[in-house]
Amino acid sequence: MATTTQDSSMDATQAALLAKVQPAELQEQPLVTNNRDFNWVTDKICRIVETKTPTWWWICMAVALMTASFTGLGLLWLVSSGVGVWGLANPINWGWAIVNFVFWIGIGHAGTLISAVLCLLKQGWRTSINRAAEAMTIFAVVCAGIFPLFHVGRVWFAWWLFPIPNSNGIWPQFRSPLEWDVFAVSTYGTVSVLFWYMGMIPDLSVLRDRAVQRLKKNAYEGAGALAKGMDIFRKNFYAIFAMGWRNAGNHWRNYEMAYLILAGISTPLVLSVHTIVSFDFALAVLPGWHTTIFPPYFVAGAIFSGFGMVLTLMLPLRALYGMHDLITQRHIDNMCKICLGTGSIVGYAYIMEFFIAWYGANPYESFAFINRAFGQYWWAYVMMFSCNVFTPQLFWFKKVRQNWALVWVMSIFINVGMWFERFVITVTSLANDFLPSSWGYYSPTMVDILTFFGTFGLFSVLFLLFLRFLPLMPIAEVKFVMPAADPHGHHGDEKGDHH
Amino acid sequence: MSESYGIIASFPNTPAFFHAAEKVRDAGYKKWDTYSSFPVHGMPAAQGQPRSKVPVFTFCGGVSGFSLGLSIVWFMNAFNYPLIVGGQPFFSPVFPFPIMYELTILLSAFGTLGGMFITNLLPQHYNSLFNSDKFLEVSGDRLVIAIEARDGQYDPVATRRFLEEIGGTDIEEVSA
């Protein structure tokens, strides 16, 4: 067996040991299939941005804009009349607004998990999905932010949430978890944008250089002045944001360090954000909310719903753009398994809540949980439990994970189930609290429904713009996990390089 | 003839590129760099570069964020407008911990991104290398080593020969 090596880090004993053990080469499924080369990857990803806008994009954009206008109308209605146009009424003063807020924030968490946590865990498979997932995070935070912002009632005073001196000389009150939320969510949004942007710098430089190359060749005969004009626009637009990136070894050295640090600080950030969101509930003394299981339970649920959304988005994109060599079955498998893992944690939490309600021997707490499952909102509980606990269990089976149409349908179930989870937590606890004389029943109004429905349009508009103008996948990172990028030439015929 | 920026050479594959970088380092050149559209594992050591200074900026950002969080809460709720909430003391380092935590992360992130720009001397929208058509192909799959004319050891003829010897192809001089 060849054990000659140029790697100075491996000493003689290690080499002798390896010769004795004769380790088998681990055959992992490649992350980029069909032996594609660097140029293919660059071309494949850049051409999404550089070619003519496909017809389906315009159709989707039109539908998305129309849907988003519902949010616009709903908010206009709300601001001109007051929060009463929502279905909020004593004792349920937190209706769909907080449900939708937590739902969207939770969706965002998968993006950060993929970009940060999987980066720290050196999971190479994250590379082809992390850019789109980070974009999803940012757009989900935008959708989430709308709800608490307008729930404050007089939205023109929303800036009072920030520690800025106002005319009354009163500062925000920092003992409230709602104020912590302001800091957590705005930090989360900002750091996600920074992380996303920094990851994109090398790819923006690729798009810039390609536009410059085409302009130098000046091969626009037949394509017309518009194509050339677009390239002039691209050259300038991407150049501004690429900051003059040159792909230098020195650049990469600092960039990789910065990327690792951002991954390192985003990990505690993403955990803290949903922890603080759960404090909005857990710090209240309401039965069903006042539990210590909330932070881990919320974080697991957030990751679960986020991966559901990543699957919902990536499976159609893969088919539309023919990305089967970049988003492979291995990627889908892994995402399904994460859904299975986090879905099971969520299921465990549902059951544990019941156990503790009984074991804690607090009559209000026991009532809250029995009421959740069998009271007036039993239908919501059934929706939540079946979508979140039973659906992901199907991911145990390889046959299911390989059927991408079924995976897509199940990812929708996960999204629906997780929305219902937040509905169950928020509404059932408020509707039947300590004082039976003030119990109520909450129903959303048309304004509630339209505003929430419209946020899917807003999300889609932003995501479609991202698809059209920015690189969908991190080109440099995809290249990095390809065998040809290995400096020790596992693929090549470099002599003396058989490690 | 205009002044020279330096000489660039291309390499056929990543291992050749990596070993060529080691040879340029061993030859004692100082003003040179490798160019590839993806980070090459182990390249900083092959180029003889020290550890990145970005963490220093992150640390400064983090410390400022933490202190900022601590001090704004004290100033706002205990000093400038003392606020009684539930009969609790005006200030304690415990209840504003989420604020300190989030601001630590926020300013660390700004420090990290800023540190990356500062250590890389970016933004720098013009560089002589962009004038070379071959250099622009780095964005695709070209792997390039550039030795700059301002290096003490630089010599138009000897450096070109050296790059040929270590396996470089498509060697060209880039004007400044």
Side-chain angles (χ1 to χ4, degrees):
Chain A
M1 183 186 162
T3 49
T4 50
T5 176
Q6 291 187 343
D7 192 342
S8 53
S9 64
M10 189 188 283
D11 60 25
T13 20
Q14 275 177 316
L17 202 65
L18 275 179
K20 201 171 159 191
V21 177
Q22 297 203 343
E25 282 274 323
L26 260 183
Q27 288 299 323
E28 261 201 331
Q29 279 175 354
L31 290 162
V32 180
T33 48
N34 286 336
N35 279 325
R36 302 299 190 174
D37 62 15
F38 289 149
N39 273 331
W40 182 86
V41 173
T42 317
D43 246 24
K44 187 81 192 168
I45 299 168
C46 292
R47 287 184 70 79
I48 296 176
V49 179
E50 291 166 350
T51 48
K52 195 167 168 283
T53 313
T55 318
W56 65 259
W57 189 91
W58 288 111
I59 297 169
C60 291
M61 192 63 170
V63 174
L65 275 172
M66 213 160 65
T67 317
S69 68
F70 290 132
T71 298
L73 284 175
L75 294 178
L76 196 68
W77 198 337
L78 177 101
V79 171
S80 51
S81 346
V83 189
V85 298
W86 282 351
L88 306 170
N90 256 340
I92 302 115
N93 290 311
W94 268 10
W96 273 31
I98 193 92
V99 175
N100 301 338
F101 164 71
V102 182
F103 171 78
W104 276 117
I105 282 282
I107 295 238
H109 278 44
T112 321
L113 191 94
I114 292 171
S115 53
V117 181
L118 297 185
C119 172
L120 294 183
L121 297 175
K122 297 203 184 297
Q123 296 292 307
W125 62 275
R126 64 184 267 288
T127 52
S128 62
I129 50 170
N130 76 350
R131 173 74 42 76
E134 285 168 31
M136 183 191 80
T137 298
I138 293 161
F139 306 148
V141 172
V142 170
C143 293
I146 290 175
F147 293 98
L149 189 70
F150 283 87
H151 197 185
V152 298
R154 292 178 293 170
V155 69
W156 50 96
F157 289 133
W159 59 277
W160 283 4
L161 290 164
F162 286 97
I164 302 167
N166 65 43
S167 49
N168 299 329
I170 304 174
W171 299 102
Q173 197 266 95
F174 288 100
R175 276 187 180 83
S176 165
L178 297 179
E179 184 62 24
W180 302 345
D181 233 9
V182 172
F183 277 79
V185 173
S186 46
T187 299
Y188 185 47
T190 314
V191 173
S192 298
V193 171
L194 294 184
F195 200 5
W196 190 54
Y197 169 60
M198 200 188 80
M200 232 168 350
I201 291 173
D203 296 346
L204 295 174
S205 85
V206 171
L207 287 166
R208 171 199 68 195
D209 290 353
R210 284 167 65 94
V212 173
Q213 278 172 314
R214 281 193 302 274
L215 286 167
K216 276 191 173 178
K217 282 182 199 146
N218 202 15
Y220 293 101
E221 285 142 36
L226 184 67
K228 188 171 180 180
M230 279 306 290
D231 269 343
I232 293 172
F233 163 75
R234 283 191 195 108
K235 176 188 147 192
N236 292 305
F237 175 74
Y238 295 122
I240 290 169
F241 290 102
M243 296 274 179
W245 178 268
R246 290 195 302 282
N247 290 310
N250 188 39
H251 284 183
W252 284 119
R253 176 174 65 103
N254 294 314
Y255 170 90
E256 285 211 290
M257 178 60 88
Y259 198 92
L260 189 68
I261 294 172
L262 279 181
I265 59 178
S266 298
T267 301
L269 174 65
V270 70
L271 298 179
S272 79
V273 171
H274 230 59
T275 300
I276 290 175
V277 168
S278 82
F279 284 169
D280 292 347
F281 300 93
L283 265 69
V285 286
L286 206 62
W289 285 6
H290 193 57
T291 58
T292 48
I293 202 175
F294 262 35
Y297 158 36
F298 266 53
V299 171
I303 294 165
F304 179 55
S305 67
F307 270 91
M309 194 56 133
V310 174
L311 283 168
T312 313
L313 290 172
M314 293 313 277
L315 288 171
L317 281 181
R318 173 179 185 248
L320 278 169
Y321 288 123
M323 292 276 185
H324 298 75
D325 290 339
L326 292 168
I327 302 171
T328 64
Q329 183 58 42
R330 184 173 159 199
H331 293 92
I332 297 174
D333 262 3
N334 286 350
M335 286 191 272
C336 289
K337 286 173 188 169
I338 292 184
C339 283
L340 172 60
T342 47
S344 305
I345 297 176
V346 168
Y348 171 81
Y350 294 161
I351 297 163
M352 189 46 79
E353 275 186 324
F354 262 86
F355 172 73
I356 293 295
W358 167 75
Y359 188 70
N362 178 331
Y364 297 103
E365 195 74 16
S366 326
F367 169 78
F369 282 95
I370 292 168
N371 184 50
R372 248 183 211 182
F374 306 106
Q376 51 188 357
Y377 293 105
W378 65 270
W379 48 272
Y381 195 86
V382 169
M383 280 294 279
M384 170 191 99
F385 207 90
S386 49
C387 289
N388 293 346
V389 184
F390 298 133
T391 311
Q393 297 307 319
L394 290 174
F395 287 143
W396 283 104
F397 305 103
K398 197 174 179 183
K399 278 252 161 14
V400 175
R401 297 197 304 266
Q402 281 175 341
N403 183 343
W404 68 265
L406 186 61
V407 171
W408 191 75
V409 171
M410 285 165 60
S411 75
I412 303 276
F413 277 141
I414 293 174
N415 291 327
V416 173
M418 283 308 293
W419 186 86
F420 271 96
E421 180 197 293
R422 280 66 177 250
F423 179 83
V424 165
I425 293 173
T426 307
V427 175
T428 59
S429 283
L430 284 171
N432 307 100
D433 63 356
F434 298 106
L435 207 61
S437 62
S438 66
W439 286 0
Y441 189 82
Y442 168 86
S443 305
T445 63
M446 197 42 95
V447 184
D448 272 306
I449 296 167
L450 289 182
T451 309
F452 176 55
F453 182 62
T455 50
F456 287 97
L458 175 64
F459 180 85
S460 311
V461 168
L462 295 169
F463 202 82
L464 285 165
L465 287 173
F466 158 70
L467 283 183
R468 196 65 206 108
F469 291 102
L470 295 170
L472 172 62
M473 291 180 186
I475 306 170
E477 287 182 48
V478 172
K479 288 179 180 174
F480 183 73
V481 297
M482 291 164 71
D486 184 350
H488 303 297
H490 283 287
H491 74 299
D493 50 6
E494 291 293 302
K495 56 182 179 182
D497 252 341
H498 311 283
H499 291 211
Chain B
M1 187 189 157
S2 62
E3 213 177 311
S4 169
Y5 170 81
I7 297 178
I8 65 170
S10 308
F11 294 85
N13 54 38
T14 318
F17 176 58
F18 183 79
H19 295 311
E22 290 176 325
K23 285 172 193 150
V24 179
R25 172 197 67 193
D26 296 340
Y29 285 99
K30 297 282 174 253
K31 304 282 180 202
W32 67 285
D33 217 329
T34 58
Y35 298 88
S36 57
S37 61
F38 54 90
V40 178
H41 187 73
M43 193 52 110
Q47 282 185 251
Q49 289 169 330
R51 192 180 143 87
S52 170
K53 295 279 183 297
V54 171
V56 177
F57 295 88
T58 311
F59 181 75
C60 296
V63 170
S64 351
F66 189 84
S67 334
L68 182 72
L70 195 70
S71 47
I72 62 168
V73 175
W74 170 80
F75 176 79
M76 291 172 192
N77 281 184
F79 181 76
N80 186 258
Y81 195 118
L83 208 58
I84 302 172
V85 180
Q88 302 287 315
F90 291 122
F91 184 73
S92 131
V94 178
F95 74 84
F97 187 76
I99 310 290
M100 283 136 68
Y101 186 93
E102 299 300 334
L103 286 178
T104 306
I105 289 175
L106 182 67
L107 295 199
S108 303
F110 275 107
T112 309
L113 184 69
M116 194 277 281
F117 282 135
I118 292 168
T119 51
N120 280 341
L121 303 176
L122 297 177
Q124 186 187 42
H125 288 288
Y126 177 77
N127 191 286
S128 307
L129 286 170
F130 290 134
N131 296 327
S132 159
D133 289 344
K134 290 202 179 73
F135 181 79
L136 290 178
E137 288 172 19
V138 167
S139 287
D141 63 351
R142 198 176 271 277
L143 304 164
V144 163
I145 289 180
I147 299 180
E148 293 176 31
R150 61 198 172 102
D151 189 288
Q153 256 176 280
Y154 180 84
D155 175 88
V157 182
T159 304
R160 181 183 280 264
R161 199 182 313 121
F162 169 71
L163 284 168
E164 273 169 15
E165 277 165 16
I166 61 173
T169 53
D170 291 341
I171 295 172
E172 70 169 37
E173 195 168 341
V174 179
S175 53

